[in-house]
Amino acid sequence: MAAMTTDTTGTAAPDDEPRPGGPADSPFVRACRRRPVPHTPVWFMRQAGRSLPEYREIRANVAMLESCRRPDLVTEITLQPVRRHGVDAAILFSDIVVPVAAAGVELDIVPGTGPVVAEPVRTAADVERIRPIGRDDVGYVDEAVRMLVSQLGDTPLIGFAGAPFTLASYLVEGGPSRTHVKTKALMYGEPELWHALAGRLAEVTLAFLRVQIEAGVSAVQLFDSWAGALSEADYRRFVLPHSTAVLSGLADAGVPRIHFGVGTGELLGAMGEAGADVVGVDWRTPLDVATGRIGPDRAVQGNLDPCLLFAPWPVVEAEVRRIVEQGRAAPGHVFNLGHGVLPETDPEVLTRVVALVHELSARPADQG
Ligand code: CP3
């Protein structure tokens, strides 16, 4: 049972007092809220995915987008890493382009490439065609979250969405891009159109996260994976207002909000200001330095380099130890990688990292 109640209007409301031991009182949610924890909680971005043989098996004959729309598959794939690694949180199996597809954008997720958009968004008419969404447009997500919450018991479920800049990059470029050149050209050359597009994407994202929260997720993560491509001044001018609309729009929702991007060392303070309870940090910025930039009012999440998992175990162990130590400088620390699990990762190393983080950070109960 989750520590969420559903009222007669179907809106989930957080209990004032989280049920002791329930998901809202879990080490993960407590760390997000900067409360004392029995151990540093740990989960991995992309923990549900190609590093797991059981995932590859279940996905063998099912396309990525189709699997995201089947609640039975979403539930099984989301649970796989929880069973195998003993992580402190599950993350919903989905993709950042799922709500955009629900909003009417024709796209596919191509294996080995990523999202590919049939007709890239370049004009005001293209922006207008991105429809607002509601629960009925993503009923499969609502259903999957409800199934998961009932099966996860005391383990919290993280919902997520892509942030306006990262989503806009896929829509404008038409697919993954190293430079984001078309996106930036639109941003600098047609700022009004940019703000219309980012504003529309913020509405879709906010609605999508609300569906997940009403269905019972215990936290949400807003992925602005590619925001690190921008200077702080441009981030503040072109992106921050839209990410703020999403995160601040959830201020009353009663669940912690995590905000993450890659290469965002210069943006950490601004990303916190968008309305995050937790700021995700990649491996480039030590957590104690990151905390200095983010301030005492927010927890941090991170930040083992996913490539380090390919090093000999003593090297992995030393790095995990360093990160747990540096995380103590923050008012709350959720251990994670600095970006997603790479497909070639040995899953047994992930399991060992979870056990090690728990062991290194275990606090005697009387201190908790
Ligand atoms: O375990 C989890 O973290 C939950 C599942 C999840 C997926 N995508 C599944 C997925 C999450 C949280 C995402 C978010 C996502 N999708 C992001 C933000 C996180 C990040 O990595 O920065 C981004 C940028 C995307 C877009 C996207 N979708 C990319 C770049 C790719 C990889 C392309 C490839 O094949 O290498 C995808 C596809 C994707 N999303 C896969 C998975 C498991 C692989 C598809 C497959 O298994 O065939």
Side-chain angles (χ1 to χ4, degrees):
M1 274 294 290
M4 305 283 285
T5 50
T6 304
D7 67 21
T8 47
T9 59
T11 321
D15 291 337
D16 287 332
E17 289 289 322
R19 185 173 59 77
D25 187 42
S26 60
F28 166 72
V29 172
R30 291 182 66 89
C32 291
R33 296 201 182 284
R34 295 173 278 123
R35 297 201 177 124
V37 285
H39 60 258
T40 300
V42 47
W43 68 281
F44 304 112
M45 292 183 276
R46 295 286 180 95
Q47 64 189 19
R50 284 174 297 180
S51 67
L52 301 185
E54 58 269 34
Y55 169 82
R56 292 196 292 267
E57 193 179 320
I58 201 170
R59 280 284 325 284
N61 294 307
V62 192
M64 177 64 192
L65 268 180
E66 189 195 339
S67 66
C68 294
R69 292 174 180 146
R70 283 184 45 187
D72 57 334
L73 288 187
V74 171
T75 302
E76 170 56 24
I77 295 172
T78 301
L79 293 174
Q80 284 175 348
V82 180
R83 284 188 205 116
R84 183 191 260 265
H85 303 308
V87 282
D88 291 274
I91 179 156
L92 179 72
F93 179 75
S94 187
D95 193 84
I96 56 167
V97 295
V98 165
V100 182
V105 177
E106 204 183 309
L107 57 85
D108 197 7
I109 299 177
V110 178
T113 300
V116 174
V117 177
E119 289 176 46
V121 174
R122 304 276 162 79
T123 66
D126 296 338
V127 172
E128 278 309 307
R129 278 195 290 274
I130 305 172
R131 300 189 303 258
I133 63 164
R135 180 160 50 178
D136 292 347
D137 298 295
V138 286
Y140 41 86
V141 169
D142 173 72
E143 197 184 321
V145 170
R146 288 174 197 274
M147 280 168 66
L148 275 163
V149 167
S150 74
Q151 293 192 28
L152 277 163
D154 294 335
T155 302
L157 175 65
I158 304 168
F160 76 90
F165 176 76
T166 292
L167 289 178
S169 171
Y170 285 108
L171 297 190
V172 176
E173 306 288 336
S177 164
R178 204 170 46 81
T179 58
H180 310 278
V181 59
K182 297 188 183 78
T183 315
K184 288 185 179 181
L186 189 145
M187 187 181 269
Y188 298 128
E190 295 178 87
E192 273 184 29
L193 180 56
W194 165 261
H195 285 295
L197 171 60
R200 179 61 60 95
L201 292 172
E203 282 169 35
V204 169
T205 294
L206 180 58
F208 187 56
L209 289 172
R210 281 203 176 279
V211 169
Q212 297 176 53
I213 292 168
E214 286 176 11
V217 299
S218 292
V220 291
Q221 176 155 326
L222 187 66
F223 283 96
D224 209 349
S225 301
W226 314 137
L230 297 170
S231 69
E232 184 183 352
D234 289 342
Y235 176 83
R236 285 187 179 278
R237 182 162 160 223
F238 293 111
V239 177
L240 183 58
H242 304 291
S243 295
T244 302
V246 177
L247 291 169
S248 300
L250 298 173
D252 61 350
V255 300
R257 299 151 296 174
I258 309 169
H259 197 187
F260 166 79
V262 184
T264 53
E266 298 298 323
L267 306 181
L268 291 171
M271 289 181 76
E273 286 169 37
D277 301 289
V278 184
V279 178
V281 183
D282 82 0
W283 60 91
R284 294 172 178 90
T285 313
L287 291 181
D288 48 352
V289 175
T291 291
R293 295 179 186 174
I294 295 161
D297 299 332
R298 294 179 174 90
V300 295
Q301 176 173 280
N303 67 345
L304 186 73
D305 185 340
C307 296
L308 252 169
L309 299 168
F310 296 79
W313 178 252
V315 179
V316 179
E317 185 174 355
E319 278 293 280
V320 170
R321 198 176 282 276
R322 175 182 68 78
I323 290 164
V324 169
E325 280 303 319
Q326 289 174 337
R328 293 189 206 282
H333 176 209
V334 175
F335 192 101
N336 205 314
L337 304 180
H339 198 184
V341 175
L342 296 164
E344 309 80 14
T345 306
D346 176 354
E348 288 185 16
V349 179
L350 292 171
T351 308
R352 285 183 83 177
V353 168
V354 173
L356 179 61
V357 171
H358 287 168
E359 182 195 315
L360 292 175
S361 62
R363 325 251 201 295
D366 59 348
Q367 284 181 17

